[in-house]
Amino acid sequence: MSIIAAELASLDSTPSAHLAEHAKELLARIVLPKRIGGSTVERYVRKATRLGIWRRLPPETRALLLILRRWGLIRSPTLVSILRRVFLEIELCTLRGKALFYGIVLSLRDSMAKLRDLIRNVTKLLILGLSYLNRPTMYRAYD
């Protein structure tokens, strides 16, 4: 998790307008796989169909995923970055992904010192996000 600790140092000087983007970057580092191959793409295709997000993906993305699920290891940096964005979109539709995202956002809003403690323990972030999602909508204000 030293990569995340390095990212935290850069977050100290960023404005709160980019909070969601930084939370997505941190979530991608936590949730997404490091190496992407055909089996990984196949797993995300099945997850997208199971969650119902498959039909919401653009046709180009669906075609790309269907083709790449038969390949071996994907080495192209451009293709890997495109796939990571698609995988993050799929992960944000899962309960675990939403909970981790909201946990990171709430931790970023509280304080950077608290985030340094929480980021080392993914289960605490998951619990924080789940408790936020389980609140009624009118009680979700965290300002």
Side-chain angles (χ1 to χ4, degrees):
M1 293 269 181
S2 62
I3 296 171
I4 296 172
E7 287 293 323
L8 290 175
S10 68
L11 286 178
D12 287 333
S13 61
T14 58
S16 62
H18 302 289
L19 188 68
E21 292 302 318
H22 290 297
K24 285 182 181 180
E25 290 174 14
L26 285 173
L27 179 66
R29 290 183 183 260
I30 292 172
V31 175
L32 297 181
K34 304 294 183 245
R35 301 183 78 190
I36 298 175
S39 61
T40 308
V41 175
E42 175 69 29
R43 189 174 68 232
Y44 275 98
V45 167
R46 283 192 315 248
K47 186 183 273 192
T49 55
R50 190 175 60 239
L51 293 172
I53 191 173
W54 180 256
R55 64 180 176 266
R56 287 186 272 160
L57 292 174
E60 306 86 26
T61 305
R62 285 185 283 181
L64 182 68
L65 289 175
L66 289 176
I67 291 171
L68 291 179
R69 69 182 179 171
R70 301 289 180 212
W71 281 18
L73 183 66
I74 299 168
R75 294 185 184 103
S76 169
T78 306
L79 197 53
V80 167
S81 68
I82 291 170
L83 287 174
R84 287 179 65 82
R85 277 188 275 141
V86 172
F87 293 167
L88 184 62
E89 184 179 342
I90 293 171
E91 282 292 335
L92 282 172
C93 291
T94 64
L95 180 63
R96 179 177 182 256
K98 285 180 192 175
L100 285 172
F101 176 73
Y102 284 123
I104 291 170
V105 168
L106 291 173
S107 295
L108 282 173
R109 290 191 68 140
D110 285 346
S111 70
M112 293 306 293
K114 187 176 179 182
L115 178 64
R116 286 188 183 97
D117 295 335
L118 284 177
I119 204 72
R120 291 183 181 91
N121 194 349
V122 176
T123 57
K124 284 186 180 179
L125 285 174
L126 184 64
I127 291 169
L128 185 62
L130 282 173
S131 67
Y132 176 79
L133 287 173
N134 283 329
R135 288 184 211 152
T137 308
M138 61 190 301
Y139 296 117
R140 284 189 184 177
Y142 48 85
D143 292 310

